[in-house]
Amino acid sequence: MKQILLITDGCSNVGESPIMAAAHALQEGITVNVVGVVDYGTIGELGSREIADIAKAGGGLSRIVGTPQLAQTMQMMTRKTVVQTIQQAVNKEVKKILGEGTLEDLHPVQRSQVVTVVDELTETSPLRIALLIDASASMKPKLAAVEDAIRDLALSLEAREGISEIAVFHFPGRTSSEDAVLDMDWTSDLSGVRSLFSRLRMKGATPTGPAIFKVLEHYRYDTLDEHQGRRPADDQDEREGMLGGYVV
């Protein structure tokens, strides 16, 4: 399962539309979740609207939070999106078996088995999260809260049974031609997250759309099959077969 977790105050102002970029991500099987740490007033309202639109286009969740709630919100959104992704796979299997039927049409015992499978896969399925951090000048007062939230998220992912990998990007880059910077490549050793923030320099504009495209490019060339030793499609077939076995 693949996610982009965007942390921003909204109001992108450079390059392609972040809504269009999020829609491209969804087409490639990557969910885009957005946590908004916005200001009050008109700018905050515009940012909030953009944040909701990005998440909707990316098939994900959006939340507007104050800095004290940031860590808890990121963990909740990550888990909820994982559960939704697995439930979608389950629903596909149910449709194969029941045609136009739904999960509620199953016998209670079978329905209970499906719920058990969803719970198990939530903890054991491989997960990749690309953290995309808005490091524009307007985010500077919120950086400490973002740092604490990402550390807490890393700890919660380490507690999962399945493989959990994180890559961290920030935007804008060091120069005007650099839309986003890869700060940490895919790793399941999440202790490295804790040392990233001393490198960030909050400055410049907000090229959110180009930054999302940069993350998509990274996903295209570096996928989970390198760690699993098989193609993601094979893994999906096997998982769907297992789900079907429970449902029948």
Side-chain angles (χ1 to χ4, degrees):
M1 290 178 290
K2 303 174 184 177
Q3 297 185 21
I4 295 172
L5 180 52
L6 169 63
I7 305 169
T8 181
D9 57 2
C11 296
S12 61
N13 52 22
V14 176
E16 301 98 331
S17 161
I19 298 166
M20 179 182 68
H24 276 275
L26 184 60
Q27 289 177 351
E28 297 187 25
I30 302 168
T31 303
V32 182
N33 294 320
V34 191
V35 178
V37 191
V38 302
D39 300 311
Y40 295 105
T42 303
I43 293 178
E45 291 176 5
L46 292 173
S48 298
R49 196 174 306 141
E50 179 182 87
I51 285 162
D53 289 343
I54 293 171
K56 182 178 180 181
L61 304 172
S62 66
R63 292 290 185 275
I64 305 299
V65 299
T67 51
Q69 295 81 37
L70 187 58
Q72 183 178 3
T73 300
M74 287 172 58
Q75 293 178 54
M76 176 276 295
M77 290 176 65
T78 297
R79 181 176 180 83
K80 189 170 182 179
T81 308
V82 169
V83 172
Q84 285 181 347
T85 302
I86 293 169
Q87 285 177 336
Q88 288 170 1
V90 170
N91 290 336
K92 286 181 182 178
E93 288 298 308
V94 171
K95 279 198 169 184
K96 286 180 184 178
I97 297 164
L98 300 180
E100 295 302 316
T102 65
L103 188 60
E104 286 69 28
D105 296 325
L106 291 175
H107 186 278
V109 173
Q110 295 173 320
R111 194 159 59 241
S112 175
Q113 290 175 332
V114 171
V115 171
T116 299
V117 172
V118 171
D119 289 342
E120 289 177 356
L121 292 179
T122 298
E123 291 301 318
T124 60
S125 296
L127 173 64
R128 272 193 162 177
I129 301 177
L131 296 173
L132 181 56
I133 303 167
D134 181 349
S136 59
S138 59
M139 282 288 290
K140 189 171 183 178
K142 304 152 190 172
L143 180 60
V146 173
E147 180 178 1
D148 290 342
I150 291 177
R151 287 172 177 169
D152 285 352
L153 176 62
L155 289 172
S156 70
L157 292 177
E158 285 175 341
R160 294 182 74 248
E161 294 179 36
I163 297 173
S164 298
E165 293 186 311
I166 284 181
V168 181
F169 299 77
H170 79 269
F171 68 99
R174 291 174 288 266
T175 66
S176 58
S177 62
E178 197 172 31
D179 297 321
V181 175
L182 174 64
D183 298 296
M184 185 175 74
D185 208 346
W186 298 116
T187 180
S188 55
D189 179 9
L190 304 181
S191 60
V193 173
R194 300 172 180 86
S195 62
L196 290 176
F197 287 82
S198 60
R199 309 176 202 168
L200 291 186
R201 297 293 179 267
M202 317 298 280
K203 63 176 184 177
T206 312
T208 309
I212 293 174
F213 277 118
K214 179 80 172 182
V215 176
L216 289 184
E217 182 181 335
H218 195 69
Y219 260 119
R220 291 186 191 115
Y221 291 105
D222 193 0
T223 55
L224 264 178
D225 59 321
E226 294 178 0
H227 300 271
Q228 295 296 319
R230 60 190 176 198
R231 301 191 331 269
D234 296 336
D235 185 49
Q236 183 180 13
D237 291 342
E238 179 180 325
R239 186 182 306 139
E240 289 183 351
M242 179 174 64
L243 290 170
Y246 275 91
V247 172
V248 171

